[in-house]
Amino acid sequence: MSVKPQALVITAPGINCDAELAAAFDAAGAQPESILMGALEREPSRIDDFQLIGLPGGFSFGDDVAAGRIMAVLMRERIYPALASAIERGVPMICPCNGFQIAVQAGLLPGPERGVWPHEPATPSVALCQNRAARFHDAWTRVTIPSDTRCVWTRGLQLDHETGLLPSAHGEGRFITDPSTLTALQTNGQVAVRYAEGENFNGSMDAIAGICDPSGLVFGLMPHPERFTRWTQHPWWTRLDPSQRTGEPLGLRMFRQAVRIAAEPAHRRSHVTSA
Amino acid sequence: MSVVHRIEVRTKDGLPDARGEALLRRATVEPGLPQPSSVRSAQVYLIEGALSDSDLQGIADRLLADPVTQVATIGLRASQGFVVEVLPLPGVADPAAESVELAIERLVNGRVRVLTGDRWDLGGVNRAEADEIGRRLLANPVVQSMRSEPWMPDRFPEARAHDAQTRDVPIRELTDAQLERLSREAHLFLNLDEMRAIQSEWRRRGREPREIELETIAQTWSEHCVHKTLKSRVRYTEAGLAAGSPSLIRHASAYAGHSIDGSALVIDNLLKRTVAAATHHLMEPGRPNSIDWCLSVFVDNAGVIAFDDTHAVCVKVETHNHPSAIEPYGGAATGAGGCIRDVMGTGLAAKPIAATDVFCVAPRDMKEPKGCLPPGRILRQVVQGVRDYGNRMGIPTLNGAVWFDPRYVGNPLVYCGVVGLMPRDLIRGQVHEGDTIVVLGGRTGRDGIHGATFSSAELTDSHADEFSHAVQIGNAITQKRTLDALLVARDVQGGPLFHAVTDCGAGGFSSAVGEMGRSVGATVHLDRAPLKYAGLTPVEVWISEAQERMVLAVPQKNLSALRAITDAHGVEMCELGTFGTPERDLILLWKGQEMGRLSTHFLEDAIPMPEREAVWDPAWAATQAPATPETPAPDGLLSTLRALLAHPNIASKAWIIRQYDHEVQGTSVVKPLVGRHGAPGDAAVIQPVVGSNRGIAIGNGLATGLASDPYWMGLAAIDECVRNLVCVGADPTRIAILDNFCWPSCRDPRNMGSLVRAAEACLDGALAYGTPFISGKDSLNNQFTTEDGRTIQIPPTLLISGVGIVPNVDRCVTMDAKRAGNVLLLVGRTHGRMGGSHRLMIGALDGCDTTLPQVDLKEGPIVARAVAACIREGLVCSAHDCSEGGVLVAAAEMAFGGDLGVKIDLQAMPCAGLVSPHARAFTEDPSRYLLEVADSNLTRVRSMLGSLPNAVLGRFDDSGQVSVAAESMSIRELRDAWASGGEGW
């Protein structure tokens, strides 16, 4: 019998999507465990025990100053090295919503160009700022997956017009970066998911909803794939024909892909991620 | 030496300044405001502490400014145009500052104090115009200061300090007039009978009461805490009856606790004999269909029902009206926060899993009287308050309603509801003698003092100044931490670490400790409470309604285990005292010295409950109906339909709904907006337990249009609530409901009469529908006195909230039409009564029956059960209840919700008597449902409906048109009317 990969869910004051993130890992075949940020700060080596990491959504530290800012400052100070080394050993990491906002400020995304993580967290080069309407917005949107993405969570997923959706709920999700970083992300296969045509409600550059690091392991996105693991979560599931509800919902498929990679022996994993 | 530093953060030039742009847009749509040509926003941080230049630079670059999008300025920055700077007043909570202080401590290893605020640079306006924009859109003087230039003080202002003495208040020798004056001037809001009861108690005790003792009584006896009006004995008479209105006198006299005295009906305890009696009757063992799933009713912070064999669901709905009138953002946020705490403090703690919100406000374009805030601003900020608290706590807000009426201008109603989930074996707590009184969560400050008594007063144009201290600013993250720690402490191996828990709500510690210590007494060391700032008096500590505090009864042996959990979650924990005193007294100490001593018997039992006079005066009540404007309504059926869809009560609430995270926790099954483009769902459904297909439907009923007879209004609200829940798939035999009465002053016997009629409707309705009340609340002084002495009373408003168990969420149904070719089936009887309808709110209708719609208590429940059976059998493709606007509005919503056309034949409608086409189309007669049924299932559905009135009204098609009689209109036009009616906020 194979052993389930262990998934670390990092929580902190104001993080509030940890339960559904843990449930998604569980549904996808991993064994989730939630640990408070404070405990990890005291003992960062606990991160070494895990084969998957999730940085959930919410309002860490009230999103005071800016979304994810204070949590990112704390992460840079104490646990960045342990996270970087986890990624180096091939651990897939997902950072939805507040997790994404934290990850881009903590030096985890877009990640090092050559795949070698620096000792000090990098200065942020992308930002998630206030939505175009300067207002919190909750909606399901159609998304697209770039065919050239390196992201192990989204690579190769086929989307259907009626079911290729994800829910978003945020006030600060507008993806902004400088032109050269944008070009690098595009050409390097680091765009992991986009809002479909006409669905870019927050005004993100190039309709980018999520990106990954060059290894494809670290995935940050504003939508919440962990909230689409059952068909009854789909916003118009009562309209869907039963034939459209076969197979697994998009969010769960993302978790499945990553859990499968995490369950593989390390030597095969490094092969997969360098593709 | 400490000095104050200033750092400002703004968006880099060339990048979008979303907040500035939003203010510019807001100034454009707000009526009568000057138009700035440009707005630039900045965040302001004032930091008091010994910091070097490099510390400051590090704080600016690494903490405060985003290197990609923002720039920071240290020190003062020149203005571009005119500056409006907004900062919190001294003593007002500033949650962002607390987070920044924590982060700075990490970065520079030194303690600092922080103030956070906003700066706006307005171009294209003069100084006076900039100030006007600031006053109208940016700052509320109750909690914020507004400055016309960037502010950099030498040191931070301090909140005022008070002496730590508690005084004797001589009352033993006062005359009645002096007692009344004392009550008013000390903000006790006790009536003369109550003041006399206190006077005689202290005469008996042979000393004068201390201030802290009087305050404790005022809190405990406030209308807010004790519901003395609803619990009083009432003598009800009728000065006449309008057509169609039943006399309660003979009708109700058969009920327990009701008796006839001459021409009057006497009810010995209104709440107990109506709302609560219904529940107890329905639960009576041995009676047919006796309800065994109500686990705890009317005794705890929330009502509790069974969910499945291992889980229970608890529900609470609260109002926070008065604070929301003077500071809508903070008032609504703390309203939501307080209701969430109620659920956290139910039994041995429940986890909040859903929230609801219902707002009653004045129309946006109405000019407000002096002393009121502009109605548009009230609703916008109330929404923001609920949003910021619920979203931050991670609780999906997924059901609600908004009702507009000019009479809410000085007294908006803000209802917040919360649903919680808990293990079935933990629904009851019990304080033990010797337990330690433990406080978890936020610190105590001077905020929210006299909230309980303030909420029991009437508002006047000077209340914003007089009661600014009653307003609180919440910190949702503090509460989230407290919740996390509380649930861990509940779920430890071997059972909860505490024997009981409750929240600090109205009255603060005085109510929480007083209630918990009711049967054992308590000794309280007030000086041990952690304070936000020094200088609070013992009285202030005792009655402060500072947010985010929970009180627990903890056995000594568990204290260290509890402290380990609270430390890990960064939650402050304080041992405030001990439960259990020899005489069951409440003993209040400050540094060991006794400040006050009260008997819990006296607090609980001594409140005088005089008989109240209630008069039903239908002529006067007729003036309570919503106004019909002089302007004529459109002629055609479909142009009328379009106008109704744009009516603010009916139009889309997407601008509100989409600001709430209604997906958090990942449980939603039926969302507030359904179909591909977001049409109005009837109720929400969540699936709260992973791995179980069981669901909870959450809905509400509100029929304020029928305020001219609250009997019919109450029944209509119950019927509507049941309809909403049935339409999504709830089991009508497993629906529990809650009552929230918001009434104008019940010292007026006519208002009291209308309250009696609503309460009797609750009794009749709950019994007929088999829907027990499990909790409720009232707010009974909702009126506003203007500067020139005019009193604006709200229409009597009864919100019925409901939760229903959904046996299998896979069988849930939504209201969007699914398939061309399916038939539209109307179930229920149409009378054509137009009283209180939205059709009459947009213009007169000649020759119609203007009596109020009446719920048929025999047929209504049978229709609900029959419709539910059809849904349960999977025979219904979509279901929608006919409420605001009537059948045509409901049918159009189904059609545009499903991108389908529909052709309707109003003549096919089963009517009682002759009813004109307009009345058929727009009456809001209750107990009616629209079902979409496939041809193949129609026979089966109709046989299940049996002899109940039902008829095929038409058929859905691919025409993209709603057609009725000879008229047609595109669903796009109708959807646009519905959507645009909710735009511009």
Side-chain angles (χ1 to χ4, degrees), chain B residues 194-212:
Chain B
E194 292 156 354
M195 291 300 288
R196 282 189 190 141
I198 297 167
Q199 187 178 49
S200 71
E201 169 72 4
W202 263 268
R203 280 179 181 159
R204 190 186 62 75
R205 288 174 67 167
R207 66 168 171 89
E208 297 293 356
R210 304 208 179 95
E211 187 187 358
I212 201 165

mmCIF file of all heavy atoms in Angstrom, chain B residues 194-212:
data_model
loop_
_atom_site.group_PDB
_atom_site.id
_atom_site.type_symbol
_atom_site.label_atom_id
_atom_site.label_comp_id
_atom_site.label_asym_id
_atom_site.label_seq_id
_atom_site.Cartn_x
_atom_site.Cartn_y
_atom_site.Cartn_z
ATOM 1 N N GLU B 194 -39.113 51.534 37.421
ATOM 2 C CA GLU B 194 -37.841 50.842 37.660
ATOM 3 C C GLU B 194 -36.960 51.644 38.616
ATOM 4 O O GLU B 194 -36.329 51.091 39.518
ATOM 5 C CB GLU B 194 -37.139 50.596 36.320
ATOM 6 C CG GLU B 194 -37.895 49.578 35.462
ATOM 7 C CD GLU B 194 -37.630 49.713 33.972
ATOM 8 O OE1 GLU B 194 -36.949 50.666 33.538
ATOM 9 O OE2 GLU B 194 -38.117 48.847 33.225
ATOM 10 N N MET B 195 -36.951 52.967 38.435
ATOM 11 C CA MET B 195 -36.168 53.811 39.333
ATOM 12 C C MET B 195 -36.700 53.681 40.771
ATOM 13 O O MET B 195 -35.932 53.640 41.724
ATOM 14 C CB MET B 195 -36.205 55.278 38.868
ATOM 15 C CG MET B 195 -35.461 55.561 37.575
ATOM 16 S SD MET B 195 -33.690 55.166 37.607
ATOM 17 C CE MET B 195 -33.042 56.459 38.660
ATOM 18 N N ARG B 196 -38.009 53.610 40.877
ATOM 19 C CA ARG B 196 -38.598 53.459 42.218
ATOM 20 C C ARG B 196 -38.213 52.119 42.834
ATOM 21 O O ARG B 196 -37.964 52.023 44.034
ATOM 22 C CB ARG B 196 -40.123 53.545 42.126
ATOM 23 C CG ARG B 196 -40.650 54.954 41.995
ATOM 24 C CD ARG B 196 -42.169 54.866 42.136
ATOM 25 N NE ARG B 196 -42.842 56.101 41.808
ATOM 26 C CZ ARG B 196 -43.998 56.141 41.142
ATOM 27 N NH1 ARG B 196 -44.573 55.018 40.722
ATOM 28 N NH2 ARG B 196 -44.582 57.302 40.908
ATOM 29 N N ALA B 197 -38.216 51.067 42.019
ATOM 30 C CA ALA B 197 -37.848 49.741 42.536
ATOM 31 C C ALA B 197 -36.417 49.768 43.069
ATOM 32 O O ALA B 197 -36.112 49.176 44.107
ATOM 33 C CB ALA B 197 -37.991 48.687 41.430
ATOM 34 N N ILE B 198 -35.558 50.477 42.353
ATOM 35 C CA ILE B 198 -34.157 50.569 42.798
ATOM 36 C C ILE B 198 -34.093 51.382 44.095
ATOM 37 O O ILE B 198 -33.416 51.014 45.056
ATOM 38 C CB ILE B 198 -33.303 51.239 41.699
ATOM 39 C CG1 ILE B 198 -33.303 50.360 40.439
ATOM 40 C CG2 ILE B 198 -31.883 51.483 42.187
ATOM 41 C CD1 ILE B 198 -32.753 51.053 39.216
ATOM 42 N N GLN B 199 -34.849 52.475 44.107
ATOM 43 C CA GLN B 199 -34.863 53.332 45.296
ATOM 44 C C GLN B 199 -35.290 52.533 46.536
ATOM 45 O O GLN B 199 -34.643 52.594 47.585
ATOM 46 C CB GLN B 199 -35.833 54.491 45.057
ATOM 47 C CG GLN B 199 -35.823 55.530 46.145
ATOM 48 C CD GLN B 199 -36.777 56.674 45.786
ATOM 49 O OE1 GLN B 199 -37.932 56.448 45.403
ATOM 50 N NE2 GLN B 199 -36.288 57.903 45.883
ATOM 51 N N SER B 200 -36.328 51.729 46.378
ATOM 52 C CA SER B 200 -36.816 51.028 47.571
ATOM 53 C C SER B 200 -35.835 49.927 47.983
ATOM 54 O O SER B 200 -35.664 49.655 49.167
ATOM 55 C CB SER B 200 -38.235 50.486 47.359
ATOM 56 O OG SER B 200 -38.212 49.410 46.465
ATOM 57 N N GLU B 201 -35.173 49.309 47.012
ATOM 58 C CA GLU B 201 -34.177 48.289 47.352
ATOM 59 C C GLU B 201 -33.034 48.905 48.178
ATOM 60 O O GLU B 201 -32.596 48.331 49.175
ATOM 61 C CB GLU B 201 -33.633 47.644 46.071
ATOM 62 C CG GLU B 201 -32.400 46.752 46.259
ATOM 63 C CD GLU B 201 -32.685 45.416 46.943
ATOM 64 O OE1 GLU B 201 -33.872 45.127 47.207
ATOM 65 O OE2 GLU B 201 -31.727 44.682 47.235
ATOM 66 N N TRP B 202 -32.573 50.077 47.774
ATOM 67 C CA TRP B 202 -31.443 50.664 48.516
ATOM 68 C C TRP B 202 -31.896 51.324 49.817
ATOM 69 O O TRP B 202 -31.117 51.435 50.738
ATOM 70 C CB TRP B 202 -30.609 51.582 47.612
ATOM 71 C CG TRP B 202 -29.422 50.796 47.079
ATOM 72 C CD1 TRP B 202 -28.190 50.721 47.640
ATOM 73 C CD2 TRP B 202 -29.385 49.925 45.949
ATOM 74 N NE1 TRP B 202 -27.389 49.856 46.925
ATOM 75 C CE2 TRP B 202 -28.096 49.350 45.887
ATOM 76 C CE3 TRP B 202 -30.331 49.541 44.991
ATOM 77 C CZ2 TRP B 202 -27.708 48.448 44.907
ATOM 78 C CZ3 TRP B 202 -29.940 48.649 44.009
ATOM 79 C CH2 TRP B 202 -28.648 48.113 43.964
ATOM 80 N N ARG B 203 -33.146 51.728 49.856
ATOM 81 C CA ARG B 203 -33.679 52.148 51.163
ATOM 82 C C ARG B 203 -33.648 50.967 52.133
ATOM 83 O O ARG B 203 -33.257 51.087 53.276
ATOM 84 C CB ARG B 203 -35.119 52.661 51.026
ATOM 85 C CG ARG B 203 -35.184 54.091 50.522
ATOM 86 C CD ARG B 203 -36.640 54.530 50.379
ATOM 87 N NE ARG B 203 -36.721 55.887 49.874
ATOM 88 C CZ ARG B 203 -37.799 56.394 49.286
ATOM 89 N NH1 ARG B 203 -38.889 55.644 49.135
ATOM 90 N NH2 ARG B 203 -37.810 57.640 48.867
ATOM 91 N N ARG B 204 -34.035 49.793 51.584
ATOM 92 C CA ARG B 204 -34.039 48.592 52.402
ATOM 93 C C ARG B 204 -32.611 48.241 52.835
ATOM 94 O O ARG B 204 -32.371 47.849 53.976
ATOM 95 C CB ARG B 204 -34.622 47.425 51.584
ATOM 96 C CG ARG B 204 -34.916 46.167 52.374
ATOM 97 C CD ARG B 204 -35.349 45.011 51.461
ATOM 98 N NE ARG B 204 -34.306 44.620 50.511
ATOM 99 C CZ ARG B 204 -33.235 43.922 50.831
ATOM 100 N NH1 ARG B 204 -33.032 43.538 52.080
ATOM 101 N NH2 ARG B 204 -32.343 43.596 49.919
ATOM 102 N N ARG B 205 -31.666 48.420 51.923
ATOM 103 C CA ARG B 205 -30.283 48.080 52.238
ATOM 104 C C ARG B 205 -29.620 49.143 53.133
ATOM 105 O O ARG B 205 -28.521 48.930 53.615
ATOM 106 C CB ARG B 205 -29.472 47.892 50.954
ATOM 107 C CG ARG B 205 -29.856 46.605 50.229
ATOM 108 C CD ARG B 205 -29.191 46.452 48.873
ATOM 109 N NE ARG B 205 -27.744 46.277 48.973
ATOM 110 C CZ ARG B 205 -26.980 45.883 47.957
ATOM 111 N NH1 ARG B 205 -27.529 45.612 46.779
ATOM 112 N NH2 ARG B 205 -25.681 45.758 48.102
ATOM 113 N N GLY B 206 -30.253 50.295 53.278
ATOM 114 C CA GLY B 206 -29.767 51.302 54.201
ATOM 115 C C GLY B 206 -28.533 52.050 53.746
ATOM 116 O O GLY B 206 -27.753 52.533 54.557
ATOM 117 N N ARG B 207 -28.341 52.114 52.436
ATOM 118 C CA ARG B 207 -27.265 52.967 51.938
ATOM 119 C C ARG B 207 -27.634 53.449 50.538
ATOM 120 O O ARG B 207 -28.631 53.000 49.958
ATOM 121 C CB ARG B 207 -25.928 52.234 51.920
ATOM 122 C CG ARG B 207 -25.834 51.074 50.938
ATOM 123 C CD ARG B 207 -24.378 50.617 50.799
ATOM 124 N NE ARG B 207 -24.207 49.376 50.041
ATOM 125 C CZ ARG B 207 -24.045 49.303 48.714
ATOM 126 N NH1 ARG B 207 -24.078 50.410 47.975
ATOM 127 N NH2 ARG B 207 -23.891 48.148 48.130
ATOM 128 N N GLU B 208 -26.805 54.358 50.006
ATOM 129 C CA GLU B 208 -27.037 54.806 48.634
ATOM 130 C C GLU B 208 -26.370 53.809 47.671
ATOM 131 O O GLU B 208 -25.339 53.225 48.008
ATOM 132 C CB GLU B 208 -26.421 56.206 48.414
ATOM 133 C CG GLU B 208 -27.033 57.299 49.263
ATOM 134 C CD GLU B 208 -28.488 57.612 48.893
ATOM 135 O OE1 GLU B 208 -29.010 57.022 47.915
ATOM 136 O OE2 GLU B 208 -29.108 58.427 49.595
ATOM 137 N N PRO B 209 -26.936 53.626 46.493
ATOM 138 C CA PRO B 209 -26.258 52.762 45.514
ATOM 139 C C PRO B 209 -25.002 53.440 44.978
ATOM 140 O O PRO B 209 -24.931 54.667 44.924
ATOM 141 C CB PRO B 209 -27.299 52.594 44.411
ATOM 142 C CG PRO B 209 -28.168 53.791 44.505
ATOM 143 C CD PRO B 209 -28.191 54.179 45.962
ATOM 144 N N ARG B 210 -24.051 52.637 44.596
ATOM 145 C CA ARG B 210 -22.885 53.192 43.917
ATOM 146 C C ARG B 210 -23.177 53.253 42.429
ATOM 147 O O ARG B 210 -24.012 52.526 41.899
ATOM 148 C CB ARG B 210 -21.664 52.320 44.181
ATOM 149 C CG ARG B 210 -21.417 52.147 45.667
ATOM 150 C CD ARG B 210 -19.975 51.912 45.994
ATOM 151 N NE ARG B 210 -19.854 51.792 47.442
ATOM 152 C CZ ARG B 210 -19.851 50.613 48.069
ATOM 153 N NH1 ARG B 210 -19.920 49.497 47.374
ATOM 154 N NH2 ARG B 210 -19.766 50.574 49.371
ATOM 155 N N GLU B 211 -22.384 54.103 41.794
ATOM 156 C CA GLU B 211 -22.570 54.299 40.354
ATOM 157 C C GLU B 211 -22.502 52.958 39.609
ATOM 158 O O GLU B 211 -23.302 52.662 38.718
ATOM 159 C CB GLU B 211 -21.474 55.244 39.855
ATOM 160 C CG GLU B 211 -21.633 55.674 38.420
ATOM 161 C CD GLU B 211 -20.418 56.464 37.941
ATOM 162 O OE1 GLU B 211 -19.494 56.691 38.760
ATOM 163 O OE2 GLU B 211 -20.403 56.834 36.762
ATOM 164 N N ILE B 212 -21.558 52.127 40.001
ATOM 165 C CA ILE B 212 -21.351 50.864 39.279
ATOM 166 C C ILE B 212 -22.545 49.928 39.469
ATOM 167 O O ILE B 212 -22.892 49.147 38.577
ATOM 168 C CB ILE B 212 -20.026 50.208 39.739
ATOM 169 C CG1 ILE B 212 -19.531 49.208 38.683
ATOM 170 C CG2 ILE B 212 -20.162 49.535 41.108
ATOM 171 C CD1 ILE B 212 -18.089 48.787 38.866
#
